[in-house]
Amino acid sequence: MNIEELLTRSVDKIIPDKTQFASLIKNKKIRLYLGIDPTGGKLHLGHTINLLKLQEFSELGHEAILVIGTGTVIVGDPSQRKEARKKISKEEIKNNIKTWKKQAGKILDFKKVKIRKNGDWLLKLKFEDIANIASNISAVQLFQRDNFQERISRQNTVFYNETMYPLMQGYDSVYLDVDLEIGGTDQLFNMLIGRDLQKKINNREKYVMACRMILGTDGKQMSKTSGNCIWIEDSPKEMFGKIMSMPDEYIFDYFEAVTRIPMKEIGQMKNSNENPRNLKVKLAKEIIKMYHSEKEAEKAEKEFEAVFKNNEIPSDIPEIQISESRLNILNLLVLTNIASSKTEAQRLVEQGAVKINGELKKDWKEEIYVSSGMVIQAGKRKFARIK
């Protein structure tokens, strides 16, 4: 890969200096790491931005490390949080990372990228060790982060363990003795604390690469709690549908951040005045190709065209067994997993999103006679068939 593209593509900033860092990696092989806390069991496209960057460094022969935060997750990252994170159990951590290697392996070559768990060193620290680490950073510095100031202004609590998080993440840099840490812009505060610790404890420079983040399919920050994520393990059909539904203005952010299409080609697309819908089709197929296959990408496109353009029913919709012969429409939508609750079901009916056997339903009080082969639909992407 071209070094200039490596250092600019999806990169917001390199601290302290990009030119200086470029000179460093041209003249020596460095050690770098990316840390991810296992707060959930699935990785989404937002995670892949930094994973791709880590892989690119490894392809240039640098020593790349993926650190799974089995220690830091116990403290809980306060970055961009309006309130404290809920505590996570050891069992949850264990379950969350069960399939991480398989998911990350769709991007990372583990013959070139090492996996480390920071619980292996953080959970062995003694009180004296923690006191010594903390003595290098002022309490005022730890409270300077914007979200802490916002919470304090609203008279919300900032818990002591939250102030410890950047110290523990920062100690990863010291323990691994790295030259570079990669992370999203939301991690900049934590990464800079690690830079300070590396200078004061190991007496040497650590560079920080803050990568830009993408928004979710609804234009808000991508997160599992918002339900706006495109997951690495989503089916091709789900990926295609989600990408086609996102706002047009995010198309090129996604092309740059989560695909391997060369920037020159992306620039040509920007200047082509291509229909946004066609660009989204290309984006969807490229992403599906990365995580599934080219064949699955073609199949997902045909399925999407059939359902959305030709109003056909998908070929692989779930079939649900229902014993009742008559149900209120809200109960029917919940039992067929079209809606997660009666409240959501009522909202779907009132919005004119529900069809049964192609007939639009507008009355949420309606009683439905259930029959085998009946097709229930909400919007253009949710279907179920009665066995």
Side-chain angles (χ1 to χ4, degrees):
M1 163 170 273
N2 178 289
I3 287 181
E4 179 62 22
E5 186 165 321
L6 173 69
L7 302 186
T8 54
R9 182 169 185 162
S10 296
V11 176
D12 182 68
K13 60 185 69 174
I14 295 174
I15 297 172
D17 182 78
K18 188 190 99 172
T19 304
Q20 186 180 316
F21 180 65
S23 177
L24 173 70
I25 62 172
K26 283 175 185 175
N27 292 298
K28 66 168 277 194
K29 298 303 180 188
I30 65 165
R31 181 183 299 123
L32 67 142
Y33 92 97
L34 161 68
I36 307 179
D37 278 355
T39 52
K42 297 195 292 183
L43 299 176
H44 55 62
L45 287 189
H47 292 119
T48 70
I49 300 168
N50 298 312
L51 290 170
L52 283 166
K53 196 64 70 177
L54 190 69
Q55 176 63 20
E56 286 161 6
F57 273 100
S58 77
E59 288 169 359
L60 291 174
H62 299 288
E63 184 183 349
I65 305 166
L66 174 65
V67 174
I68 298 177
T70 52
T72 41
V73 73
I74 293 171
V75 179
D77 184 8
S79 299
Q80 296 191 323
R81 301 287 297 186
K82 293 182 179 180
E83 55 188 26
R85 286 184 182 273
K86 293 179 180 178
K87 290 182 180 178
I88 190 166
S89 69
K90 289 182 180 179
E91 192 61 31
E92 285 177 292
I93 296 168
K94 185 179 175 182
N95 288 333
N96 285 347
I97 64 175
K98 269 182 181 177
T99 64
W100 269 37
K101 186 172 182 180
K102 178 186 172 186
Q103 292 177 64
K106 293 177 182 286
I107 295 171
L108 300 178
D109 177 357
F110 287 113
K111 292 177 182 176
K112 296 178 180 178
V113 179
K114 299 176 184 174
I115 293 182
R116 303 290 300 273
K117 298 176 184 176
N118 66 13
D120 292 347
W121 54 87
L122 292 182
L123 301 181
K124 292 176 183 176
L125 292 174
K126 297 177 182 177
F127 178 75
E128 181 182 2
D129 300 321
I130 295 171
N132 286 336
I133 296 166
S135 69
N136 291 284
I137 305 293
S138 75
V140 174
Q141 189 177 354
L142 294 174
F143 272 94
Q144 281 175 340
R145 61 191 316 159
D146 293 342
N147 61 321
F148 280 1
Q149 293 300 317
E150 289 170 12
R151 281 159 65 177
I152 291 167
S153 69
R154 288 187 277 110
Q155 297 186 328
N156 281 8
T157 302
V158 176
F159 292 96
Y160 181 69
N161 66 297
E162 295 181 278
T163 67
M164 289 177 64
Y165 185 90
L167 290 173
M168 296 299 97
Q169 178 176 323
Y171 186 69
D172 291 346
S173 295
V174 174
Y175 184 86
L176 296 170
D177 197 20
V178 296
D179 301 284
L180 170 71
E181 180 178 3
I182 298 173
T185 50
D186 63 327
Q187 291 299 308
L188 186 57
F189 183 92
N190 298 332
M191 293 192 290
L192 290 177
I193 293 293
R195 181 169 181 261
D196 282 355
L197 289 175
Q198 180 73 321
K199 276 186 175 180
K200 291 174 180 176
I201 297 175
N202 286 339
N203 195 31
R204 74 184 194 87
E205 182 64 271
K206 183 196 94 167
Y207 290 85
V208 167
M209 177 180 280
C211 295
R212 291 189 288 274
M213 300 167 68
I214 54 171
L215 296 174
T217 52
D218 58 358
K220 298 176 183 176
Q221 181 186 345
M222 190 176 282
S223 71
K224 61 180 183 292
T225 50
S226 299
N228 61 357
C229 298
I230 300 169
W231 303 100
I232 288 178
E233 292 193 320
D234 273 346
S235 69
K237 184 173 76 172
E238 287 174 313
M239 282 184 170
F240 204 102
K242 287 178 180 180
I243 291 165
M244 294 302 292
S245 70
M246 75 182 192
D248 292 349
E249 58 264 35
Y250 302 141
I251 293 171
F252 292 111
D253 289 341
Y254 271 64
F255 267 121
E256 179 177 345
V258 301
T259 78
R260 291 179 179 270
I261 293 177
M263 287 302 296
K264 184 178 179 181
E265 188 178 333
I266 293 172
Q268 289 169 348
M269 284 191 282
K270 278 184 179 179
N271 297 323
S272 69
N273 294 318
E274 181 73 59
N275 184 309
R277 186 188 181 283
N278 295 339
L279 289 171
K280 281 197 272 193
V281 168
K282 184 169 184 174
L283 174 64
K285 289 172 73 174
E286 185 66 25
I287 291 171
I288 293 166
K289 192 164 64 175
M290 289 173 69
Y291 300 107
H292 295 280
S293 69
E294 189 165 356
K295 183 180 177 182
E296 289 290 350
E298 296 291 340
K299 182 181 174 183
E301 181 188 12
K302 287 177 183 176
E303 183 86 352
F304 183 86
E305 291 293 332
V307 174
F308 286 78
K309 197 172 179 181
N310 305 326
N311 293 317
E312 294 178 17
I313 296 170
S315 59
D316 59 346
I317 64 175
E319 294 192 335
I320 311 294
Q321 180 80 52
I322 292 180
S323 57
E324 292 89 342
S325 60
R326 183 177 174 182
L327 282 169
N328 172 267
I329 191 169
L330 302 187
N331 291 328
L332 180 63
L333 292 173
V334 172
L335 286 173
T336 52
N337 300 317
I338 294 289
S340 59
S341 65
K342 286 187 179 181
T343 303
E344 184 190 359
Q346 183 175 335
R347 177 175 57 79
L348 289 170
V349 174
E350 290 175 339
Q351 288 176 345
V354 176
K355 290 181 181 179
I356 295 180
N357 286 340
E359 181 186 345
L360 184 65
K361 297 294 180 180
K362 297 181 179 180
D363 181 8
W364 59 267
K365 295 178 182 177
E366 184 178 350
E367 296 289 312
I368 304 294
Y369 287 92
V370 182
S371 60
S372 177
M374 175 183 282
V375 175
I376 299 99
Q377 176 183 354
K380 293 186 176 181
R381 286 167 50 198
K382 287 187 175 181
F383 290 85
R385 180 183 280 111
I386 306 298
K387 281 186 179 179

